[in-house]
């Protein structure tokens, strides 16, 4: 379970990037966080993962404060970032192996790595190839594999579909659904309204550091999500 | 987790191009410099042996005490292969004379026979290590943090079971794991070249010195690794990190040494040695006048009208060897020398007072330079290697001090054994053998007369100089001695490590991982 309580972040330059955000993503739920560029999505993730310190408020993972017990909370969360280069001189499997061990998974066999890579749709011939020869989408898939192999109860993703071809993106959604069914709480920051519509259990829209809308699947299916989104965005213009 | 990160970095470093380049660089440069240094050392040993033999022969062949001039030939230290220090700036032999105190050695300055060749003879192993290892350390460390940030791997790593401090420790351990073998390789290569050379025999203490050198090099390398990591932790991108790192490198390795020399020379002005020499020359003039005054007085007192030396050999430094002739000359000299020698010695002391002042100024300048140079870890390292190999200015000055002390001992030997007052000081011919003037005058036969007065040095035996004190280096190379000389600087270098480590940790704790 991922939780933010009145989470606020004001950067050193005075910009209020996140304004008392309170969110809760429960096990077995896919939460899509939408919002324009600069709305504060990445900031939220950085706070959840303790990369930066909040100005006030709290971020909790499985009920544990990330500031107080960072190592403990990181056992329960996996992370997919938007554009990860990984170690270019390592092969896909070596990268996977390193980060799996770092995540506490020390007893994995080669076949485990291969299975995960197959699952994210990476072509077999690339498994033992150096990552510097990979395309952006292929690297993204390895990043996904790293998150999946950690087998944490929460998954945080920052625009994971950038660079993925349509087929892979669709496959990713299938993976997400399966992970959700396995009881994981998934936070997904994205601009992809279409995917939100198809797989999200709940959708939140952020604007200037605030959560301006929160709908469950039933609610946004009745209405057109696109229209809702644009409505909220337009209010800013008005 | 630290082990895991260290292993990962070690593997990545091994796979990187810079590792291969660094390795090849060492493989080419180290054997080359060590070979040059070894050749240089062997040439110096050869010269030492020749000069030492000459010095021994000189002592054995002396027939009068005034010709006894112990010559101290500096034996080259095998460790000077690693750090030449100032050994090539000074000569290798010191002659002990009564008319002057030795200031600097004379003799062979370097083994370079052709003055037209300007190669980098002064580059030795420790300098190469100072340059190469610092560069390699920086080249490996400069992007250790920025690269992880740029590739997004830092964020991903920190989502794992690893705290910032262990992440940093892992990276540091990984760098050490990569670079220590390179350093060790350099030393093994150098030792191999030395060991296979039959002309060089290393004592156990020498090996200890080499181990100490390796230890200092490792700390020196650590300084630059930490510096690189620190820079990497305070700038955002790898490209600015490499620029800052290289600027630091140039500053530490090339600018500070020159700036320190320049500053020390402009702050402490040393008098020209020419001026010192001209005053010394005046002293010698005054001494000469005194000398001849005594000469004339004694001659008058003895009522000598014609003072003739039959066979005479004399030199500016007080050498006198006569044979043959009548008894007048030796009797005259027998009275002259006990009066002249104190004058000679006090003139030498007066000149030494001048020289000591001059030396004091030089020392002041040198100490200031060393102190300013402490701003640079590489200068610190150079001073440490010089102290370990006992080739630095400090050792040199101590050495000269010992030699001057030894000279006092020789003078004491002469006075105690009344050698200045003995006829053997200036003639090998026993005094009784010299005929009196009247005896010669009474001889009518020219042939007989010749037989009485015509004597030559070679007719008499050489002196037994085996009891003259022999110079012994008071502190031959020893490990505790070397450690003692290097200790404070080694501690300073270590302090720098601690400081950099603290600064690096402090800055990384606040590092923006995004
Ligand atoms: N290090 C920083 N210092 C100052 N301001 C920052 C910093 N990082 C982000 N911001 C600001 O905080 C606000 C939120 O940024 P954030 O990266 O969270 O947006 P985002 O929703 O992820 O946008 P995008 O969709 O473009 O990824 C932006 O206005 C941004 O300019
Ligand atoms: Mg973002």
């Amino acid at each position: 379970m991922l939780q933010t309580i009145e989470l606020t972040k004001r950067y050193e330059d005075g910009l209020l990037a996140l304004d008392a955000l309170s969110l809760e993503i429960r096990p077995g739920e896919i939460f899509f966080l939408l919002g324009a560029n600069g709305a504060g999505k990445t900031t939220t993730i950085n706070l959840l993962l303790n990369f930066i310190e909040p100005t006030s408020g709290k971020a909790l993972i499985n009920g544990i404060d990330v500031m107080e017990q960072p190592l403990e909370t990181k056992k329960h969360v996996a992370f997919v970032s938007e554009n990860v280069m990984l170690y270019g001189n390592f092969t896909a499997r070596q990268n996977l192996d390193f980060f799996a061990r770092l995540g506490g998974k020390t007893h994995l066999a080669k076949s485990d790595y291969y299975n995960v890579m197959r699952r994210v749709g990476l072509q077999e011939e690339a498994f033992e190839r150096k990552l510097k020869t990979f395309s952006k989408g292929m690297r993204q898939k390895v990043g996904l594999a790293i998150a999946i192999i950690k087998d944490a109860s929460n998954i945080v993703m920052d625009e994971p579909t950038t660079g993925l071809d349509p087929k892979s993106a669709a496959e990713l959604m299938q993976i997400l659904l399966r992970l959700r069914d396995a009881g994981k709480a998934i936070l997904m920051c994205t601009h992809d309204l279409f995917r939100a519509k198809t797989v999200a259990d709940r959708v939140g829209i952020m604007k200037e550091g605030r959560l301006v809308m929160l709908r469950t699947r039933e609610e946004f299916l009745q209405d057109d999500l696109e229209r809702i989104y644009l409505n909220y965005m337009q209010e800013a213009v008005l | 987790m630290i082990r895991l990160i260290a292993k990962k970095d070690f593997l990545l470093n091994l796979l990187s191009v810079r590792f291969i380049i660094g390795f090849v660089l060492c493989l080419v440069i180290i054997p080359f410099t060590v070979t040059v240094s070894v050749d240089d050392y062997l040439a110096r040993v050869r010269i030492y042996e020749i000069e030492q033999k000459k010095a021994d022969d000189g002592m054995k062949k002396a027939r009068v005490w005034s010709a006894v001039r112990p010559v101290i030939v500096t034996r080259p230290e095998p460790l000077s292969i690693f750090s030449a220090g100032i050994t090539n700036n000074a000569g290798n032999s010191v002659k002990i004379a009564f008319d002057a105190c030795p200031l600097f050695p004379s003799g062979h300055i370097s083994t370079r026979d052709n003055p037209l060749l300007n190669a980098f003879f002064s580059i030795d192993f420790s300098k190469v290590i100072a340059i190469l290892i610092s560069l390699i350390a920086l080249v490996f460390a400069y992007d250790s943090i920025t690269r992880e940030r740029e590739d997004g791997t830092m964020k991903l790593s920190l989502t794992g079971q690893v705290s910032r401090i262990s992440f940093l420790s892992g990276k540091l351990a990984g760098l050490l794991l990569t670079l220590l073998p390179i350093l060790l390789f350099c030393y093994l290569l150098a030792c191999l070249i030395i060991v296979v050379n039959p002309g060089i025999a290393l004592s156990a203490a020498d090996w200890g010195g080499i181990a100490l050198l390796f230890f200092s090099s490792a700390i020196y390398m650590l300084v630059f690794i930490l510096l690189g990591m620190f820079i990497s932790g305070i700038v955002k991108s790898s490209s600015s990190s490499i620029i800052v790192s290289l600027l630091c490198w140039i500053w530490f390795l090339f600018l500070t040494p020159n700036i320190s020399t320049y500053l020390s020379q402009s702050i402490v002005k040393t008098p020209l040695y020419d001026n010192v020499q001209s005053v010394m020359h005046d002293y010698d003039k005054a001494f000469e006048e005194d000398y001849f005054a005594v000469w004339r007085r004694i001659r008058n007192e003895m009522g000598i009208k014609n003072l003739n030396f039959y066979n005479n050999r004399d030199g500016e430094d007080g050498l006198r060897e006569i044979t043959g002739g009548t008894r007048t000359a030796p009797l005259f000299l027998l009275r002259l020398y006990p009066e002249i020698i104190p004058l000679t010695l006090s003139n030498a002391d007066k000149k030494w007072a001048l020289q000591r002042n001059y030396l004091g100024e030089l020392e002041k300048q040198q100490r200031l330079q060393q102190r300013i140079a402490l701003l640079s870890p590489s200068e610190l390292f150079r001073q440490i290697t010089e102290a370990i190999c006992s080739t630095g200015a400090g050792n040199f000055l101590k050495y000269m001090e010992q030699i001057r002390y030894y000279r006092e001992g020789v003078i004491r030997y002469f006075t105690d054994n009344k050698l200045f007052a003995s006829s053997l000081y200036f003639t090998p011919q026993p005094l009784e053998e010299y005929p009196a003037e009247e005896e010669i005058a009474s001889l009518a036969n020219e042939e007989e007369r010749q037989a009485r007065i015509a004597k030559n040095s070679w007719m008499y035996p050489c002196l037994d100089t085996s009891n003259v004190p022999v110079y012994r280096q008071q502190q031959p190379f020893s490990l505790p001695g070397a450690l003692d000389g290097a200790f404070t600087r080694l501690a300073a270098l270590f302090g720098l490590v601690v400081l950099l480590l603290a600064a690096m940790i402090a800055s990384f704790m606040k590092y923006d991982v995004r």
Side-chain angles (χ1 to χ4, degrees), chain A residues 11 46 49 51-52 71 74-75 77 79 84-87 89-90 98-99 101-103 130 146 150, chain B residues 1 4-5 8 11-12 15 148 150-153 155-164 513-514:
Chain A
Y11 280 109
N46 283 339
L49 295 173
F51 292 154
I52 53 177
L71 278 192
K74 278 167 188 171
K75 278 184 192 158
V77 64
F79 171 55
V84 61
M85 303 292 290
L86 301 171
Y87 298 115
N89 266 334
F90 275 176
F98 171 69
F99 286 109
R101 284 173 191 278
L102 214 54
K130 283 195 176 177
I146 288 170
K150 190 171 178 184
Chain B
M1 288 304 155
L4 184 63
I5 293 174
K8 178 262 304 180
L11 283 176
L12 282 176
L15 293 169
E148 296 253 4
E150 285 160 352
D151 290 352
T153 42
K155 267 168 131 179
L156 215 49
S157 299
L158 290 178
T159 351
Q161 287 299 297
V162 57
S163 65
R164 283 185 180 220
V513 299
R514 291 163 302 149

Side-chain angles (χ1 to χ4, degrees), chain B residues 310-311 321-325 427-429 434 453 455-457 460:
Chain B
Y310 187 82
N311 278 319
E321 184 174 331
I322 61 164
T323 38
T427 177
Q429 190 178 347
Y434 281 99
I453 62 171
K455 303 284 183 192
N456 260 310
S457 266
Y460 301 99

